[in-house]
Amino acid sequence: MEDKELLRLLRKDPDRGTAAALDLYGGVVKTVVWRVLYNFPRDAEECISDAFLKLWKNRKRLDGAPVRAWLIVTARNTAVDRLRKLLKDNSISLTEEMAEMLAAPEEGEAEEILELLSPADREIFVRKYYFLESTAQIAAALGRTESDINSRLSRGRKSLRKQLIQEGECSYDH
Amino acid sequence: MTTNLWRTIQAAQTEEFEFSDAEKERIMENLKKETHRRSGFGTVLKSAAGLAAAFVMLVTASMFNPVLAANIPFMENIVGFLRQNHALDSGVYSNGAVEKHMVPVSVETDEAFSIRDSYFDGTVLAVTIAARLPEADTETVEMQFELEINGETPPIQIEPVGGYTPTATLYRAEDSCFVGTVVRDISAVAPSSEFALTITPTSFASPNGDFLSLVPSAAAAEITQNEDADVYPVKGIQTDGLTITELRATPAFTYVNTEFTAPGTYTYILTLDSGEKLDYIRVGDYDQQCYYEALPVGTKYVTIDVYEKADARKPVCSATVTVTDGYSDGDAVKAYEDARTGDGSQSDWLVELARRGIPVTPREGETAVELGETIISRTYSETNQDQTKDSAFYLDPDAVTEITYDNMQVYASHTDAGIDDADMNESGIPDDLSEYRFVTFDVHIETKGTPGIREDGHLQPEIEAYGENDGTAGIQWIENYAHLILETDFNFGIDIPYFSGHMRGFTNYYHFASNAYDSHDFVVGFYVPTAAVESGNWLIGVENGEHNPDYTFHTVYTYYTIPPYTE
């Protein structure tokens, strides 16, 4: 099913449209959310629901948008936002891993960084900050060494002045 | 405008976690709770968004057929080739008019990347492209590209082209040759009747995200507006307070802009007339400004009727524009079928569907039975087996729900059937009942190991309130067993207006509580177009718990056939 057809189904028949969206993208949304909230399964499931609810709410606005990408960014932002709240409310210690999650650039800044990167480095950047893969995972997936991945990521980090991602849902600008 | 970020995320892959059916069910429950509250979940949305929707084709993904490709001289008819492969994803191609008006672009055919044909009507630019990609080992590739008109990048316009994707999909046609199409509304950069077009590929990627290392250089072409596109703007037609400020018809689209300023809420309906009253097509209900598909050949008049939303019996005003002809090969039925896939009024479409009398038959792999027979559904079986909490008593691999429809009764309305408005689901009641009958059935349901959903969340009050609860109760949805079907290829998700066991006051009209082994007798009522009632050309679909593998998410039904009824 193509995104266009999915969006139309969401508009016409939200029940089946949502089910189709879950079929198509449930796995990747869960993956992104769980990488942030692996210690908080109940919150993770709520965030997955929230991401798809946002898709449903935005079903008319997203015509022509890349739904998978939109959901990934929305899921990441929703999960990271929840993590920040959990850290604040529960006095949970911030681990190095969590700090990395929270250090992703804002959307506009990410766009600028991507402009400076080669296509190969763009994928590394996206895997790191949007799919929230570990350096070891990226290295394994792309057949590179961890130090190579870190080196490539550091080029983009120079531009990373803001350390917390934006709050709320992301937007897709046609 | 965001570009690279979204493209890169869309194309990139990651190792995904398993997403189980049980998780999906739970999330669906949460979503239903939210979306029901917001919009009458399950209805055909009546909002008149229809603009782009009228143009969006139902594009079914189709596997590329290499035998077909070998037999097609693709360079002579790329659009035809793409059409045969279900690869035209813009509504401007829907009825073949743009295809007829495309003209070849003069290029050197041995170039690695080239623009082959063009169509431009002053608004829509459609071009075919061809690329030689010897590295590609897949049947499709995604091309990222930049498009410039006289050196300027036009902004993205969703309408009238019916959607926008930042990439173009190219399909293998012969050996290493791939072809595709690019469609854009370029009116924002206001090109003259002649302009320079440049398309610069920036990357080619296979469906699994692998980028090709060789990217051909840009292709340029001089584009000339199609003189035979015969764009004719009509402006300033006034009738009864309704002004057609603009009617613009091209082979790619029909644009209608109207003004009607009387207080109230109104619906705008475009109809086309061949002059012989044979091809009178009610295209759809939309907003005051709306894009429709290209006018079919033979169109003589275009009429815009304005109805009060609460009373669709007679228009409050209308205006008719005489046109010289249409463009597309689509006949009345085709134009109607394309239009009805947009967001129209549920009531209108149902009556129109029934009036057309297209036979409503089960899809391949589905079966139908007569009233009085019992249908087996496993809709809740899988869910039950996935749940572990308190589930020992219903972990039954043979768990099923048995549904039996019988005792069909036909009434003029639910009031005629003695049912109070308060017991109805108002979102399922048509605005105008004159072309409907209210049809009820007795429904006997037996659960055999399938209590439905059991959880501690928002459903718990309903479960606890069930007087017959033997400790195994859960919640089911009558919707799963009661689909009004007037077309089997695409289920509109029509609301059931009446369910005798409704649980309004809790979370959902359609819920009913059931023990794992239980028996229920309900009455369900449907508003069915009179034409369908009289012909018996409709079905009731009962979900059997499976999904059709030929569709991404099409429920498989077992149907009840309905006998014709005459008063």
Side-chain angles (χ1 to χ4, degrees):
Chain A
M1 178 181 283
E2 295 182 356
D3 282 346
K4 219 186 294 185
E5 194 178 345
L6 172 64
L7 290 167
R8 188 173 58 173
L9 192 58
L10 276 166
R11 288 192 295 270
K12 184 176 287 297
D13 184 344
D15 198 346
R16 284 186 170 66
T18 308
L22 282 165
D23 270 355
L24 286 168
Y25 303 125
V28 73
V29 167
K30 177 185 173 182
T31 302
V32 170
V33 168
W34 273 83
R35 281 181 180 151
V36 181
L37 296 168
Y38 56 92
N39 279 332
F40 310 99
R42 194 181 185 90
D43 293 276
E45 191 154 306
E46 285 179 13
C47 285
I48 297 169
S49 287
D50 285 351
F52 283 98
L53 183 62
K54 286 171 182 172
L55 175 67
W56 179 79
K57 283 178 175 174
N58 286 280
R59 64 198 181 282
K60 292 181 182 173
R61 199 166 63 87
L62 286 172
D63 208 358
V67 174
R68 179 174 178 270
W70 188 91
L71 269 171
I72 288 166
V73 176
T74 300
R76 184 202 70 155
N77 287 353
T78 305
V80 171
D81 206 35
R82 179 66 63 95
L83 177 61
R84 291 171 62 197
K85 187 171 184 302
L86 287 166
L87 287 167
K88 187 179 172 187
D89 294 347
N90 300 338
S91 303
I92 297 165
S93 303
L94 182 70
T95 65
E96 192 178 330
E97 222 170 358
M98 289 176 184
E100 257 191 334
M101 303 284 183
L102 300 173
E106 290 184 358
E107 199 179 316
E109 198 169 7
E111 188 72 39
E112 288 173 20
I113 294 168
L114 279 185
E115 290 292 334
L116 305 173
L117 301 178
S118 68
D121 287 357
R122 285 176 192 168
E123 184 175 1
I124 292 170
F125 181 87
V126 162
R127 280 177 177 269
K128 181 70 180 176
Y129 291 114
Y130 287 88
F131 290 112
L132 304 166
E133 291 181 355
S134 67
T135 304
Q137 284 174 316
I138 299 170
L142 301 181
R144 298 176 186 274
T145 63
E146 284 189 47
S147 61
D148 181 34
I149 298 297
N150 280 328
S151 162
R152 288 167 183 271
L153 284 169
S154 69
R155 296 175 201 168
R157 282 188 181 130
K158 292 175 185 173
S159 303
L160 300 181
R161 289 184 295 275
K162 297 177 183 176
Q163 295 299 303
L164 298 175
I165 68 165
Q166 69 186 45
E167 292 186 6
E169 67 186 82
C170 58
S171 63
Y172 179 80
D173 178 8
H174 293 300
Chain B
M1 181 178 67
T2 53
T3 52
N4 281 328
L5 179 62
W6 292 95
R7 286 177 194 160
T8 311
I9 295 171
Q10 183 80 350
Q13 300 297 317
T14 189
E15 190 175 344
E16 293 183 13
F17 293 11
E18 184 188 348
F19 188 61
S20 71
D21 287 346
E23 285 175 287
K24 183 183 161 187
E25 287 287 342
R26 287 199 302 273
I27 289 168
M28 276 299 293
E29 288 308 313
N30 290 335
L31 292 171
K32 277 183 176 177
K33 187 173 61 172
E34 289 295 319
T35 50
H36 265 270
R37 192 152 52 87
R38 286 177 164 85
S39 81
F41 196 82
T43 63
V44 174
L45 299 179
K46 293 184 180 179
S47 66
L51 304 170
F55 275 85
V56 177
M57 289 175 65
L58 179 60
V59 178
T60 305
S62 170
M63 293 299 292
F64 179 79
N65 182 340
V67 176
L68 181 67
N71 294 330
I72 290 179
F74 71 92
M75 287 302 180
E76 293 177 15
N77 187 1
I78 291 176
V79 172
F81 168 77
L82 295 170
R83 184 183 297 286
Q84 283 183 279
N85 285 279
H86 303 280
L88 291 171
D89 57 1
S90 171
V92 305
Y93 288 116
S94 289
N95 286 332
V98 165
E99 191 174 340
K100 284 192 298 188
H101 288 83
M102 277 194 142
V103 294
V105 173
S106 179
V107 293
E108 294 295 328
T109 55
D110 59 352
E111 286 179 355
F113 178 67
S114 55
I115 300 165
R116 313 298 303 198
D117 313 280
S118 74
Y119 163 89
F120 175 57
D121 60 21
T123 299
V124 169
L125 168 71
V127 296
T128 61
I129 50 178
R132 295 188 186 279
L133 304 169
E135 281 180 287
D137 57 3
T138 53
E139 298 305 329
T140 63
V141 290
E142 288 294 309
M143 180 185 81
Q144 294 187 2
F145 62 97
E146 289 166 0
L147 182 148
E148 290 183 336
I149 306 296
N150 292 331
E152 190 179 350
T153 302
I156 301 305
Q157 306 274 358
I158 300 301
E159 299 148 2
V161 295
Y164 164 76
T165 50
T167 61
T169 303
L170 274 60
Y171 294 75
R172 186 189 294 276
E174 283 180 358
D175 298 329
S176 61
C177 296
F178 289 74
V179 295
T181 182
V182 172
V183 182
R184 290 286 167 84
D185 175 353
I186 59 170
S187 55
V189 294
S192 61
S193 59
E194 292 185 6
F195 60 89
L197 166 69
T198 307
I199 297 178
T200 307
T202 55
S203 71
F204 289 90
S206 65
N208 62 15
D210 293 337
F211 287 91
L212 306 184
S213 58
L214 298 175
V215 177
S217 54
E222 290 295 322
I223 305 295
T224 304
Q225 184 166 339
N226 297 65
E227 290 180 7
D228 57 355
D230 195 24
V231 179
Y232 50 90
V234 175
K235 294 185 179 179
I237 303 280
Q238 274 192 304
T239 309
D240 297 336
L242 172 66
T243 302
I244 300 176
T245 52
E246 186 174 7
L247 169 72
R248 192 154 29 110
T250 84
F253 65 92
T254 307
Y255 173 70
V256 179
N257 186 3
T258 55
E259 285 180 5
F260 184 68
T261 54
T265 311
Y266 296 93
T267 293
Y268 296 78
I269 295 179
L270 183 78
T271 58
L272 312 177
D273 192 339
S274 69
E276 298 174 357
K277 297 295 180 187
L278 294 176
D279 295 331
Y280 185 75
I281 311 166
R282 188 179 223 181
V283 175
D285 307 356
Y286 297 109
D287 287 338
Q288 286 179 279
Q289 297 176 51
C290 190
Y291 286 96
Y292 302 85
E293 290 188 343
L295 300 178
V297 169
T299 304
K300 299 265 181 68
Y301 308 103
V302 174
T303 299
I304 290 94
D305 293 319
V306 181
Y307 293 83
E308 281 188 44
K309 282 213 165 169
D311 184 359
R313 286 170 295 186
K314 188 180 176 189
V316 293
C317 67
S318 64
T320 297
V321 175
T322 303
V323 296
T324 52
D325 201 352
Y327 305 98
S328 68
D329 292 333
D331 60 15
V333 174
K334 177 69 169 62
Y336 160 72
E337 285 177 348
D338 288 338
R340 68 163 165 69
T341 59
D343 289 340
S345 155
Q346 171 177 322
S347 303
D348 293 332
W349 295 130
L350 297 187
V351 170
E352 190 69 20
L353 265 177
R355 192 177 69 75
R356 291 283 173 188
I358 298 166
V360 186
T361 54
R363 295 173 297 190
E364 190 177 347
E366 294 179 326
T367 57
V369 301
E370 294 182 358
L371 293 174
E373 295 186 47
T374 296
I375 290 174
I376 305 295
S377 172
R378 298 181 186 278
T379 296
Y380 289 95
S381 306
E382 192 177 324
T383 302
N384 294 341
Q385 288 173 46
D386 283 338
Q387 289 184 332
T388 54
K389 189 179 85 60
D390 296 334
S391 60
F393 52 84
Y394 60 84
L395 272 177
D396 179 356
D398 298 320
V400 297
T401 306
E402 294 182 350
I403 297 98
T404 309
Y405 272 68
D406 211 344
N407 189 27
M408 171 175 155
Q409 299 289 327
V410 180
Y411 304 93
S413 68
H414 62 274
T415 309
D416 185 39
I419 298 170
D420 291 341
D421 287 351
D423 281 324
M424 297 293 290
N425 174 34
E426 62 277 5
S427 66
I429 304 173
D431 296 332
D432 175 9
L433 300 182
S434 65
E435 294 192 75
Y436 285 84
R437 291 292 178 269
F438 183 65
V439 185
T440 65
F441 298 89
D442 292 348
V443 183
H444 180 71
I445 295 176
E446 292 209 14
T447 56
K448 297 190 170 178
T450 51
I453 305 297
R454 291 170 53 77
E455 43 92 287
D456 294 329
H458 67 287
L459 298 176
Q460 196 57 34
E462 294 178 48
I463 295 170
E464 290 173 358
Y466 182 42
E468 306 296 320
N469 188 351
D470 64 5
T472 70
I475 294 296
Q476 292 212 24
W477 275 252
I478 192 67
E479 286 172 304
N480 295 312
Y481 311 130
H483 291 267
L484 168 60
I485 306 288
L486 288 161
E487 185 200 47
T488 47
D489 279 345
F490 195 90
N491 177 19
F492 286 96
I494 301 158
D495 271 7
I496 312 164
Y498 178 64
F499 170 46
S500 64
H502 71 81
M503 297 184 77
R504 175 175 286 144
F506 290 101
T507 57
N508 189 292
Y509 181 87
Y510 300 116
H511 288 180
F512 66 93
S514 178
N515 293 313
Y517 293 86
D518 213 338
S519 177
H520 309 274
D521 286 296
F522 298 126
V523 175
V524 296
F526 305 91
Y527 269 106
V528 187
T530 306
V533 174
E534 292 177 349
S535 64
N537 189 29
W538 61 293
L539 302 168
I540 292 172
V542 176
E543 296 180 15
N544 73 8
E546 298 170 7
H547 293 126
N548 188 334
D550 292 336
Y551 301 87
T552 301
F553 195 84
H554 266 212
T555 299
V556 176
Y557 297 99
T558 303
Y559 300 98
Y560 279 107
T561 54
I562 311 297
Y565 174 87
T566 50
E567 295 177 6

